[in-house]
Amino acid sequence: MVSKKVLITFFDYIIITIGTLLFVMAWTFLLPNNMIDGGMTGASALLSMVTGISVDIWYFGINVGLLILAWFVLGRGFGIKTVYSILLSTLLFRVLGDESMRFLWSVEGQVLYVGDGILVPIIGGLMEAVGLSLILLRGGSTGGTDILALIVNKFWPVTLGRFYLMADFVIITLLIFVPGHCFTDVVYGYITMGVCAYVLDLIMLGKESAVQVLIFSNHYEAIGNYVTKEMERGVTALQAIGWYTQEDRKVLMVMIRKTEMPQLVKAVKEVDPKAFVTVVPANSVYGEGFGEIKTGLPRKKKK
C-alpha cells in the first residue's frame, strides 16, 4: 500500500514537471514576439517590461504571498505541489529565457519560428492550456490566478476558464500602456487568453461532463436493471403516454458521465435494437456520484 502511494505521488510529480515545462515554453513563444497572456505570469511580464527586472524574480515574489493562502484554504498537499511547480517554473523561466536557449524561442532564424503572427498566440495559448491542465489535474498549480481560481471554484460553481477570462482581460489590457507596445499586441493577448481558457475548460470539464439520457423502450425493466446493477447509476422511470397509440409507457431517465455513453448505448442496443434514445449535454450535475453542490461560503448571522 505504501509503495503504491509512493508510485502515485512520483507519477503526479512527473506529470506536473511535464505540464510546467509546457507552460513555460508557451511563454518562449509569446514574450519574444512582444505578446503576453494574463495571470500572474502576465503581470510579471508587464512589471518586467516596465522595471527591467527579470520575469522569474517578479513571478517568484508575487506567488510567495499567495502560497500561504493556498496552504490554508486548499490543503497542505496542494501547497507542496504548488511550491514545487512555482520553483520549477522560476528555474525554467531563468534557463529558457537565457540567450543560450534562443534556439527554443519563436523568433526569426530559429527552428520554432512561426512566420504568421496570428499563429503565435494560438500556439502559445494551446501549449499554456495543456500545461496548466496537466498541473491542475494532478493537484498542483503554477500559482497566481491559478490559486485564486481554484479557491473560487472550491466554493462557487465558476469554471476555471471563466475566472481566467475575467482576471486576464484586465492584465492584458494594461499592456497598451507599456511603452513600445500597441493595441495589436493587446489583441494578440486576447486571442491567447481565449484559446487558453477554451482549451482549459475543454480538458478540465471533459472528465466531469455528464449527459442526461432518455430511453424509450418496451424493455425498460431489463435496461433499468443493467444501469443500476452493472453501471451502478441511478435510474428514474417516468410515466408517459404515447400520443399516437394513447398507451401508457415508461421512459427511463439516466444521468451518466459522457465517457459512459458507449457502454450504455451498447447495452440498450443489445436489449432492444428498436429503442429510441435521446441525449442532452449536462455540464453541471450535482449530487451523489457527481459534483458537490457549491453554494458559497456561509455568512455569519448578525446578532
Side-chain angles (χ1 to χ4, degrees):
M1 180 64 70
V2 176
S3 60
K4 183 178 180 180
K5 290 183 177 179
V6 171
L7 287 175
I8 292 175
T9 302
F10 178 75
F11 179 73
D12 285 346
Y13 280 92
I14 291 295
I15 297 300
I16 290 174
T17 300
I18 296 173
T20 304
L21 178 61
L22 283 173
F23 170 74
V24 176
M25 285 188 66
W27 286 87
T28 65
F29 268 81
L30 301 174
L31 291 178
N33 290 279
N34 292 321
M35 302 178 191
I36 67 168
D37 193 5
M40 292 305 164
T41 311
S44 300
L46 281 174
L47 292 170
S48 177
M49 294 172 186
V50 175
T51 64
I53 300 174
S54 60
V55 175
D56 56 294
I57 294 177
W58 280 112
Y59 176 81
F60 180 76
I62 291 175
N63 281 294
V64 169
L66 289 173
L67 280 175
I68 299 174
L69 184 63
W71 182 279
F72 288 105
V73 177
L74 299 174
R76 186 176 62 181
F78 177 91
I80 294 174
K81 291 178 180 178
T82 299
V83 168
Y84 172 77
S85 185
I86 289 175
L87 291 176
L88 181 59
S89 297
T90 303
L91 176 63
L92 289 175
F93 272 123
R94 170 71 67 171
V95 173
L96 298 182
D98 190 83
E99 281 287 340
S100 62
M101 303 297 290
R102 188 179 176 84
F103 65 93
L104 289 177
W105 299 359
S106 179
V107 294
E108 192 170 358
Q110 302 302 325
V111 65
L112 296 180
Y113 173 64
V114 178
D116 192 342
I118 194 64
L119 292 178
V120 174
I122 294 176
I123 296 174
L126 179 62
M127 290 177 61
E128 187 177 3
V130 173
L132 285 173
S133 298
L134 291 176
I135 297 169
L136 294 171
L137 286 171
R138 308 315 300 184
S141 167
T142 55
T145 50
D146 293 351
I147 295 176
L148 297 177
L150 287 174
I151 291 175
V152 171
N153 185 256
K154 181 180 177 66
F155 301 107
W156 287 277
V158 179
T159 66
L160 297 176
R162 189 173 302 169
F163 181 88
Y164 287 137
L165 279 173
M166 294 184 291
D168 294 354
F169 180 82
V170 176
I171 295 173
I172 294 171
T173 303
L174 292 175
L175 182 63
I176 198 172
F177 299 105
V178 178
H181 291 270
C182 61
F183 187 65
T184 301
D185 299 328
V186 175
V187 173
Y188 283 145
Y190 293 153
I191 295 173
T192 307
M193 174 185 69
V195 172
C196 182
Y198 176 77
V199 176
L200 185 63
D201 269 355
L202 194 65
I203 297 174
M204 295 298 293
L205 294 179
K207 67 184 184 69
E208 299 294 337
S209 293
V211 290
Q212 175 182 285
V213 184
L214 295 179
I215 304 171
F216 300 78
S217 172
N218 292 327
H219 303 278
Y220 61 88
E221 289 186 3
I223 296 174
N225 289 333
Y226 177 85
V227 174
T228 54
K229 295 179 181 179
E230 301 298 329
M231 300 184 68
E232 297 184 347
R233 287 294 185 186
V235 181
T236 300
L238 306 176
Q239 185 66 43
I241 298 176
W243 195 253
Y244 181 76
T245 61
Q246 292 295 308
E247 294 179 354
D248 291 339
R249 61 186 308 174
K250 300 287 186 181
V251 177
L252 301 181
M253 183 176 71
V254 184
M255 298 297 300
I256 58 174
R257 297 290 186 197
K258 190 179 293 184
T259 54
E260 296 173 308
M261 266 302 297
Q263 179 184 356
L264 178 60
V265 171
K266 181 180 179 182
V268 171
K269 186 176 181 180
E270 289 177 351
V271 174
D272 183 6
K274 296 183 178 180
F276 185 78
V277 180
T278 66
V279 182
V280 180
N283 289 328
S284 297
V285 181
Y286 306 108
E288 186 176 352
F290 293 92
E292 178 185 355
I293 298 176
K294 302 169 185 177
T295 59
L297 294 171
R299 296 182 178 180
K300 293 183 179 179
K301 295 183 178 180
K302 295 182 179 180
K303 294 182 180 181

